[in-house]
Amino acid sequence: MASAGGFRPVAGSGSAARAGARSGMTSSVGSSSASVTSASSVPAGAQHEVELDKVSCIGCGSSVASLSEGQAARAPFTNISPLLPLPVLYHSDLRGHVTRLHGTTEVHQEAPERVHNIFLRLFEDAVHFNLVNMLMCDEDVPLASRELLTQVHDVDYIKFLEGLCVRYDAGANSDLPSDHEVLRFSPLVVSRLFDETEKRKYFSANRHLTSATRFSPGTFKAALRAAGAVVRGVEIVMGDDFLQKRCFCLVRPPGHHAGPRGYDPTAGGCGFCLVNNVMMGAAEAMRLYPGCKVAIVDLDVHHGNGTQAIIEKRFKGCPILFCSIHLHETVPGDPDMDFFPGTVSCK
């Protein structure tokens, strides 16, 4: 992998930093280097950390390392300099996922402008602080491979997505606006991939009339690009050629509601999601480094039901820790009014 986009290659301490990253440890990458000192020479402001290094961990019964041992263990992280900004992964293809129904004045929550405006703001700040080379975009973000897709999603679901693209390609020479045929996605998934019982349940509740997950001519490419950005982020964090051990993927459509077959019968919808981006990244990490441990922390008002379902059904037994911090609210006697996706309660 070649160094690109202004990223600095690893020199010297890369293998140690990489080992720490694989072990699941987090750190403040880019902090200034510090020499090992005795407890008596530690500044007053750092005395609290010294005391923590000397005490025992009562909760687990293990002994915390001494000051010198602790600093040696942290050296791969603290001895990295100079301070490096956070890389941002973005691609203009993400704007091709159109969500507004043609001929309406609908304001969709997951509109193309959402992440694009975030990117523009980041770019303005990058220009101001002379950090433009830390924004990786366009040619640096690949499309996710079909092979990796099959590790995360069912093959029939992938074929279904590809079939929708063929439909659009067949009418590519028409004079219709690019967003003329924005489809309600969930009804299509249910009608093509689920049994008669689920179809009756879905359509009898008229959910097809309010489905907010959309599919347009550029949607599948945008989804592949979003997943590809996460895969690229894994390569940056875990690879040999970059000093950065962190990055931010500014992508859409989102992915944590997309299960093995996209739609979740319990949720009754897809939650704007088509491809599970974070699980694509997890699959890539385990492909590059078999046996590595993966931790996914999902901070969102909604439960990451798709991510959990994929882990349970397709990655069972793999060393993946999934934590979802979300709102759970139910309406007794009317499950259709439960807060989306209504899949996991807090107990």
Side-chain angles (χ1 to χ4, degrees):
M1 190 189 317
S3 177
F7 280 61
R8 300 187 58 175
V10 173
S13 63
S15 59
R18 205 161 54 249
R22 293 174 195 166
S23 70
M25 298 175 65
T26 58
S27 66
S28 177
V29 177
S31 57
S32 58
S33 58
S35 58
V36 177
T37 59
S38 65
S40 60
S41 64
V42 175
Q47 190 63 37
H48 180 62
E49 181 179 357
V50 173
E51 296 303 319
L52 286 178
D53 277 327
K54 290 181 177 180
V55 301
S56 295
C57 180
I58 298 175
C60 62
S62 62
S63 177
V64 176
S66 66
L67 173 63
S68 59
E69 292 171 333
Q71 287 185 328
R74 291 191 296 272
F77 308 104
T78 58
N79 292 338
I80 297 175
S81 62
L83 182 66
L84 294 173
L86 180 69
V88 177
L89 304 183
Y90 176 77
H91 197 285
S92 58
D93 280 351
L94 304 178
R95 300 176 69 186
H97 171 46
V98 179
T99 52
R100 179 179 60 84
L101 295 176
H102 181 67
T104 71
T105 57
E106 176 187 42
V107 178
H108 198 281
Q109 302 100 307
E110 216 293 282
E113 295 79 14
R114 186 173 65 88
V115 295
H116 186 64
N117 288 340
I118 294 173
F119 177 76
L120 291 179
R121 179 57 188 269
L122 290 173
F123 189 81
E124 290 173 0
D125 289 346
V127 171
H128 180 75
F129 293 105
N130 195 28
L131 298 172
V132 176
N133 63 343
M134 300 314 300
L135 294 179
M136 297 182 65
C137 58
D138 292 349
E139 70 275 4
D140 295 309
V141 177
L143 293 169
S145 68
R146 193 180 194 277
E147 178 183 3
L148 199 60
L149 270 177
T150 59
Q151 294 185 37
V152 173
H153 293 286
D154 292 358
V155 173
D156 59 350
Y157 177 62
I158 298 170
K159 290 181 178 178
F160 163 73
L161 293 173
E162 294 170 337
L164 288 179
C165 295
V166 171
R167 172 180 175 176
Y168 281 119
D169 292 341
N173 297 322
S174 70
D175 295 328
L176 297 176
S178 60
D179 63 345
H180 177 78
E181 195 175 17
V182 176
L183 306 173
R184 294 187 186 272
F185 183 70
S186 297
L188 294 174
V189 180
V190 174
S191 61
R192 304 282 181 86
L193 301 181
F194 287 82
D195 60 26
E196 292 301 321
T197 300
E198 183 57 36
K199 291 177 185 177
R200 285 193 296 271
K201 176 183 174 183
Y202 181 85
F203 288 100
S204 64
N206 291 323
R207 289 175 176 168
H208 59 292
L209 300 178
T210 58
S211 173
T213 304
R214 307 289 163 72
F215 196 96
S216 68
T219 292
F220 191 41
K221 187 174 185 180
L224 291 179
R225 195 72 73 178
V230 179
V231 170
R232 175 66 167 158
V234 168
E235 294 173 350
I236 291 171
V237 171
M238 301 185 72
D240 295 337
D241 297 325
F242 298 99
L243 184 58
Q244 286 83 351
K245 296 303 167 191
R246 54 182 181 168
C247 67
F248 176 62
C249 299
L250 179 59
V251 299
R252 64 179 293 270
H256 73 157
H257 294 307
R261 307 182 83 184
Y263 173 85
D264 184 338
T266 301
C270 296
F272 307 156
C273 303
L274 290 91
V275 172
N276 198 299
N277 305 319
V278 71
M279 284 309 302
M280 293 284 285
E284 176 69 0
M286 291 185 288
R287 184 190 71 82
L288 291 174
Y289 302 100
C292 75
K293 297 179 180 179
V294 176
I296 301 171
V297 181
D298 188 328
L299 299 173
D300 193 276
V301 70
H302 303 107
H303 170 228
N305 57 308
T307 302
Q308 182 167 331
I310 290 173
I311 293 173
E312 292 175 347
K313 296 178 181 178
R314 300 186 67 89
F315 291 87
K316 191 172 184 179
C318 294
I320 301 177
L321 172 66
F322 176 60
C323 300
S324 178
I325 301 174
H326 57 273
L327 171 67
H328 179 76
E329 186 176 57
T330 60
V331 178
D334 192 356
D336 285 339
M337 294 300 295
D338 291 351
F339 189 73
F340 187 87
T343 43
V344 172
S345 61
C346 301
K347 296 180 180 180

